[in-house]
Amino acid sequence: MKILYGDAAARLKDLADSSINTCVTSPPYYNLRNYGVADQIGMEGSPAEYISDLVEVFREVRRALRPDGTLWVNIGDSYATSSGSQPPTNTRNSQGHTPKSVPAGYKRKDMIGIPWMLAFALRADGWYLRQDIIWAKPNTMPESVRDRCTRSHEYIFLLSKGRKYYFDAEAISEPISDESLKRYERKCERGNPMFCGGGGAGADKHLKARKNKRDVWSIPTGGFKCEHFAVFPERLAELCILAGSPKGGVVLDPFAGSGTTGAVAKRLGRDFIGVEINPQYRRIAIDRIAAVATAQEEGGVHG
């Protein structure tokens, strides 16, 4: 377990080729929060610059992934308004603009479409874009808006390095409701081969009362109190790690933040490598992962 200090694109170059099983991350959102660090991603002068910087980071991620590796990236959208934070000096702002002004090509109050801009840019750069997953937030924060609905979802994109990749569907399968199970049984009794396979393996499969994970995940926000503004829910990281890596595998997060991905990886018996540009958050992440390791040792739990 280690968390490298510095810029993600630069520090990822230190990783060996084909050494990572999966990457689970949530990069800083565009024009949303100033984390107080020069050259931070998210404070670029335009959405195009922001996407370009992320593509550069994830290009290094792809190099470091095993041939069967995957990328799970959580990304939220932004609006073309003047509500963003003023960036510190020496930021990634090559055109002399600040994110507080409406980006060129957008009207004030436009939804920018950042998630799909990133997804399409990564696909064009060589990634396989496999799925968009909706993270539904049942406890979403209220917004002071009256001319649109309150946002209560974000995207998680599943991308892969190659056409075939590691994906443990059973590890994140969902329980089948009693009503659904009874429906399967009735159809099997009627001889429907789709549901019972003639009374053979198909019937056994459905009697396990599990079904393939759906692509809308209802997960509350929060769960870890620290000075980091946006904490990734542990359950969200858990699903991605379980599906994307075997026990003993290596999980990467190039935007480690408060260390959620690392803490969950440790708890699930995976190794972890993170990168964090903010020294304060890096310290929080190191301590958080160490606390999980200590709890496992004291409880006799080893993944």
Side-chain angles (χ1 to χ4, degrees):
M1 296 274 176
K2 60 182 177 181
I3 300 180
L4 306 175
Y5 172 62
D7 177 74
R11 293 311 310 266
L12 288 171
K13 296 181 186 299
D14 297 337
L15 302 184
D17 293 355
S18 304
S19 59
I20 303 296
N21 292 90
T22 192
C23 175
V24 179
T25 192
S26 182
Y29 295 173
Y30 176 68
N31 192 18
L32 183 61
R33 292 185 179 94
N34 178 359
Y35 291 98
V37 181
D39 291 326
Q40 63 185 308
I41 285 180
M43 291 286 104
E44 290 83 350
S46 71
E49 289 179 86
Y50 170 71
I51 296 298
S52 177
D53 285 339
L54 286 180
V55 168
E56 180 184 356
V57 171
F58 290 124
R59 188 177 297 141
E60 285 299 319
V61 169
R62 191 170 72 246
R63 177 193 58 77
L65 282 177
R66 290 162 44 101
D68 63 349
T70 52
L71 165 64
W72 306 74
V73 55
N74 163 232
I75 190 76
D77 214 336
S78 302
Y79 284 87
T81 68
S82 58
S83 60
S85 300
Q86 181 73 28
T89 58
N90 190 29
T91 62
R92 301 169 181 269
N93 194 344
S94 63
Q95 299 178 2
H97 302 298
T98 71
K100 292 197 74 172
S101 59
V102 175
Y106 297 89
K107 303 177 296 299
R108 190 175 300 278
K109 297 181 72 171
D110 270 344
M111 181 180 244
I112 296 175
I114 290 289
W116 286 104
M117 286 176 65
L118 176 61
F120 293 153
L122 292 176
R123 184 177 66 184
D125 199 55
W127 289 93
Y128 285 80
L129 177 57
R130 292 296 295 127
Q131 187 167 38
D132 63 314
I133 296 165
I134 300 298
W135 169 24
K137 305 176 185 179
N139 64 335
T140 193
M141 290 290 290
E143 292 182 299
S144 57
V145 293
R146 292 293 181 268
D147 57 357
R148 61 172 174 82
C149 300
T150 296
R151 290 183 297 182
S152 61
H153 80 281
E154 292 183 16
Y155 285 97
I156 302 169
F157 289 109
L158 168 60
L159 302 105
S160 64
K161 183 173 181 176
R163 186 171 62 87
K164 295 184 178 181
Y165 52 92
Y166 182 92
F167 185 87
D168 190 347
E170 188 67 24
I172 61 169
S173 61
E174 300 176 335
I176 295 176
S177 67
D178 291 341
E179 181 56 37
S180 294
L181 186 57
K182 291 177 182 178
R183 185 165 61 250
Y184 284 136
E185 292 171 343
R186 288 195 296 268
K187 291 184 177 181
C188 184
E189 289 171 357
R190 296 169 188 161
N192 189 325
M194 179 182 295
F195 292 89
C196 66
D204 292 338
K205 176 181 178 181
H206 287 296
L207 289 175
K208 288 180 181 178
R210 306 292 296 180
K211 64 182 179 182
N212 200 40
K213 183 72 176 172
R214 276 28 180 183
D215 62 1
V216 177
W217 299 355
S218 180
I219 300 174
T221 60
F224 177 71
K225 301 297 184 182
C226 72
E227 296 180 18
H228 194 282
F229 290 108
V231 178
F232 199 53
E234 288 200 3
R235 178 56 177 164
L236 207 61
E238 181 180 80
L239 291 171
C240 301
I241 291 170
L242 286 172
S245 65
K247 276 195 173 183
V250 183
V251 179
L252 170 67
D253 186 350
F255 304 101
S258 65
T260 298
T261 299
V264 175
K266 178 63 178 176
R267 175 167 57 81
L268 295 177
R270 276 75 168 170
D271 199 1
F272 174 73
I273 298 176
V275 182
E276 178 52 45
I277 195 172
N278 185 306
Q280 181 179 0
Y281 297 156
R282 178 174 178 266
R283 184 72 259 168
I284 291 172
I286 291 172
D287 292 345
R288 185 178 180 187
I289 295 169
V292 173
T294 299
Q296 288 180 329
E297 291 173 2
E298 293 176 349
V301 179
H302 303 285

